[in-house]
Amino acid sequence: MADGDTLVAAVQRRPVSGAAGDPVGDLAARLPHRFARPDLLLHALTHRSAADPRKQMLDSNERLEFVGDRVLALLMAEWLAERFPAEREGDLGKRLAVLVAQDSLAKVAGTLGVAAALRVPPNEERSGVRRRASVLADAVEAILGALYLDGGLEPARALVRREWSTLLEASARPPVSPKTRLQEWTLGRGLGLPEYMLVSATGPSHSPVFVVRVLAAGQDAEGSGENKRAAEQAAAERLLAVLEA
């Protein structure tokens, strides 16, 4: 395995667009692993807008994200089963859904300094891609994928248990999403299931905005988000505020 100095030296030779200093090296120093293949970390931090094989640019982080998504789910399921031995599968699933959701991943990205380390071209820099929760969440999953491919489950497990500890302990009871809460509210009153409708999907492919309307109990509300699921959750939250007022 390469030591920390080797990794930092490797990433220092790769400039990061729009960032001062060496944010990639800083992020590398925060990880519980020193890469034998530093290129894996660089790939994990490369947004798809910066990857162009025709120009001999780095691969994007999408394939590593695919791996990291599965690694995170496995390690989180293992940890939850260990931490909450008396809970049933359904409650563990609720906890898992929140802990691997975009919001949780974006919070972890903030503590690791992922935004500054992302590799993006100048035009995307100006569009604010570094601040998008979906982009940050994808990068964290890609980092987990890189850790797994370079060192196996142990370094990925070490990062998960360190960075998700506060999030995992935040709720004594299994969390319930707005969509689930709204469904329970309507079914409990014999009103059937809420209906969700996509109102619009605008913006470029790398920065979309979805708007969804939900109808239930004779009321409706709209919510927006970076993907359809996030928009549905936002709409459910707004409608609950009306119904529970």
Side-chain angles (χ1 to χ4, degrees), residues 164-181:
W164 271 263
S165 179
T166 300
L167 294 171
L168 183 138
E169 299 293 346
S171 177
R173 300 179 62 185
V176 180
S177 72
K179 284 187 66 175
T180 300
R181 285 166 44 217

Side-chain angles (χ1 to χ4, degrees), residues 5-65:
D5 292 339
T6 301
L7 177 59
V8 171
V11 296
Q12 281 178 330
R13 292 195 294 271
R14 305 288 187 113
V16 180
S17 172
D22 180 26
V24 179
D26 291 343
L27 185 150
R30 296 186 185 105
L31 299 178
H33 176 70
R34 297 298 171 254
F35 282 80
R37 293 177 53 195
D39 61 296
L40 284 171
L41 179 58
L42 292 169
H43 287 169
L45 295 170
T46 302
H47 187 254
R48 64 182 178 182
S49 61
D52 188 347
R54 295 171 300 178
K55 299 179 181 179
Q56 296 184 329
M57 298 173 73
L58 286 173
D59 292 336
S60 79
N61 61 9
E62 291 175 316
R63 287 172 59 87
L64 287 174
E65 174 203 340

Side-chain angles (χ1 to χ4, degrees), residues 89-108:
E89 181 270 343
D91 288 338
L92 292 175
K94 292 176 182 178
R95 292 185 185 276
L96 177 68
V98 171
L99 291 167
V100 302
Q102 178 178 290
D103 288 350
S104 296
L105 285 158
K107 290 176 183 176
V108 171

